[in-house]
């Protein structure tokens, strides 16, 4: 499956991700991503997490806030940080990992007089759990 076709398929599945909470939608997004060819997973997962944020943030959604911030790991991975101390990593081979946002990364910061931003994140996969197809 080429990337364009994969993303078109993801767009068609948008109604399939809708659920009563951001956490349930995330669970569906993980399952959908694991069913996708490894080379397409990072881009698909980013698309799906953006969709979850949009659904949860919609006026009168009635859902509790849910956030996700995407970063690039020093090894080329894509890191998706949530607001509750958990992250999901798509490694360069397309494997998905569950990580603790602070403990499972070597993180550097850029600190100014008005902000503290992440400068780099190096995943430590030996501390993470890999997601696999059930």
């Amino acid at each position: 499956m080429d990337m364009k076709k994969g993303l078109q398929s993801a767009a068609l599945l948008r109604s399939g991700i809708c659920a009563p909470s951001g956490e349930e939608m995330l669970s569906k997004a993980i399952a959908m991503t694991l069913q996708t060819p490894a080379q397409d997973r990072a881009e698909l997962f980013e698309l799906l997490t953006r969709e979850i944020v949009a659904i949860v943030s919609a006026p009168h959604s009635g859902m509790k806030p849910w956030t996700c911030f995407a970063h690039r790991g020093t090894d080329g991975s894509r890191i998706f940080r949530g607001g509750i101390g958990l992250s999901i990593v798509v490694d360069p081979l397309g494997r998905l990992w569950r990580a603790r946002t602070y403990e499972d990364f070597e993180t550097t910061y850029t600190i100014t007089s008005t902000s503290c931003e992440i400068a780099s994140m190096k995943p430590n996969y030996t501390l993470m759990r890999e997601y696999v197809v059930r």
Side-chain angles (χ1 to χ4, degrees):
M1 173 188 308
D2 68 8
M3 177 57 79
K4 187 173 182 180
K5 186 175 180 182
L7 293 178
Q8 289 171 342
S9 296
L12 294 174
L13 294 171
R14 286 186 181 201
S15 63
I17 200 171
C18 204
S21 72
E23 290 80 15
E24 290 179 61
M25 286 186 271
L26 178 62
S27 179
K28 288 183 177 187
I30 292 166
M32 289 169 59
T33 301
L34 287 171
Q35 298 297 325
T36 301
Q39 70 273 10
D40 298 340
R41 289 179 179 171
E43 192 167 347
L44 173 63
F45 194 71
E46 186 162 1
L47 175 76
L48 294 172
T49 57
R50 285 183 184 172
E51 184 179 328
I52 294 168
V53 169
I55 291 168
V56 169
S57 301
H60 311 293
S61 74
M63 295 182 175
K64 65 181 178 176
W66 192 89
T67 60
C68 183
F69 301 96
H71 300 273
R72 179 148 318 268
T74 59
D75 64 345
S77 61
R78 293 292 289 158
I79 301 165
F80 301 90
R81 295 179 65 235
I84 58 169
L86 294 177
S87 294
I88 295 175
V89 179
V90 182
D91 73 17
L93 298 176
R95 295 175 298 184
L96 272 71
W97 301 85
R98 179 183 174 155
R100 297 166 299 168
T101 297
Y102 300 102
E103 297 90 345
D104 296 348
F105 300 93
E106 289 179 30
T107 306
T108 62
Y109 300 90
T110 301
I111 301 171
T112 68
S113 61
T114 58
S115 70
C116 178
E117 305 290 329
I118 292 174
S120 68
M121 296 180 78
K122 179 181 178 184
N124 183 345
Y125 297 105
T126 63
L127 300 174
M128 300 178 191
R129 290 188 192 164
E130 186 176 0
Y131 285 102
V132 293
V133 177
R134 292 189 222 185

